[in-house]
Amino acid sequence: MASTADIRNGLCIKFNHDIYKIVEFLHVKPGKGPAFVRTKLKSLTSGKVLDNTFSAGHKIDVVRVETHTFQFLYSEGNDFHFMNNESFEQITINKDVLDAPELLKEGTNVMVQINTETDLPLSVDMPASIILQVTYAEPGVKGNTATNATKPATVETGASVNVPLFINEGDMIKIDTATGKYMERV
């Protein structure tokens, strides 16, 4: 058993008969009253996000997890297939567990957290950014760049991303996987 002092981003805990991952937390010490920890929890089974407040010193049940590097192989309907880079063992993960499945490119390395008690995958951590090629983009109009205007572009994985007007088909762009937004041209 751990307490609220051990809370950190990415920690997996048992809460309300489910396993949750702490997405973000904030320790609050108001001027009047006891301290508490405000958290945002993401269910690893359903993907739902909920806000919860723990009083300071509250006991939490931590789930022991191991993190391994897996390579994305291919998707088949709602199932995504990954291979362990060390043991070459393959696993299948449902689309709901992934944060940004539309940005996954074949061959991308991701970090998979596995519950040590049940040997089942809990969550998939994407790299911070991913580089993809633009497969379709409307041509930009010359001289229309005075404002921060954007246009939709389709990347090689099929995802649609808003990009600046100077991006053309065939360009390689870097995308933030947490927000799904354009970062820069590569």
Side-chain angles (χ1 to χ4, degrees):
M1 291 292 270
S3 70
T4 55
D6 301 318
I7 287 180
R8 64 185 187 282
N9 287 340
L11 182 71
C12 295
I13 62 171
K14 286 183 185 172
F15 180 70
N16 284 351
H17 309 292
D18 198 0
I19 296 177
Y20 288 89
K21 181 178 180 181
I22 296 176
V23 179
E24 59 185 57
F25 73 98
L26 177 67
H27 186 272
V28 180
K29 174 66 175 105
K32 189 186 256 187
F36 56 90
V37 178
R38 192 176 291 135
T39 60
K40 187 177 280 191
L41 306 169
K42 180 179 180 182
S43 172
L44 296 178
T45 54
S46 65
K48 292 182 181 177
V49 177
L50 65 102
D51 294 321
N52 190 52
T53 302
F54 295 103
S55 58
H58 182 81
K59 298 292 182 202
I60 55 175
D61 195 7
V62 177
V63 176
R64 190 167 166 266
V65 295
E66 289 180 351
T67 304
H68 297 284
T69 304
F70 280 76
Q71 182 180 31
F72 173 60
L73 298 176
Y74 62 95
S75 64
E76 190 176 55
N78 282 343
D79 294 334
F80 284 69
H81 299 271
F82 295 88
M83 178 184 67
N84 189 328
N85 286 354
E86 296 162 5
S87 67
F88 304 110
E89 154 191 349
Q90 292 187 15
I91 60 170
T92 303
I93 298 177
N94 194 332
K95 182 179 185 177
D96 299 334
V97 176
L98 302 169
D99 292 333
E102 68 278 355
L103 295 177
L104 260 180
K105 178 181 171 183
E106 292 178 2
T108 303
N109 286 332
V110 296
M111 302 303 286
V112 178
Q113 292 183 337
I114 297 175
N115 187 346
T116 56
E117 298 170 11
T118 61
D119 285 333
L120 293 175
L122 293 176
S123 69
V124 177
D125 293 333
M126 299 268 294
S129 63
I130 191 164
I131 297 173
L132 297 173
Q133 183 175 10
V134 176
T135 56
Y136 176 76
E138 293 286 334
V141 179
K142 188 170 184 157
N144 194 9
T145 57
T147 62
N148 287 337
T150 60
K151 63 182 179 182
T154 306
V155 293
E156 59 186 297
T157 59
S160 181
V161 179
N162 283 333
V163 297
L165 295 175
F166 60 83
I167 299 293
N168 298 315
E169 283 185 32
D171 287 350
M172 301 295 281
I173 60 171
K174 185 186 274 190
I175 301 170
D176 183 9
T177 56
T179 60
K181 293 185 179 178
Y182 166 85
M183 292 174 70
E184 64 183 353
R185 179 168 53 179
V186 179

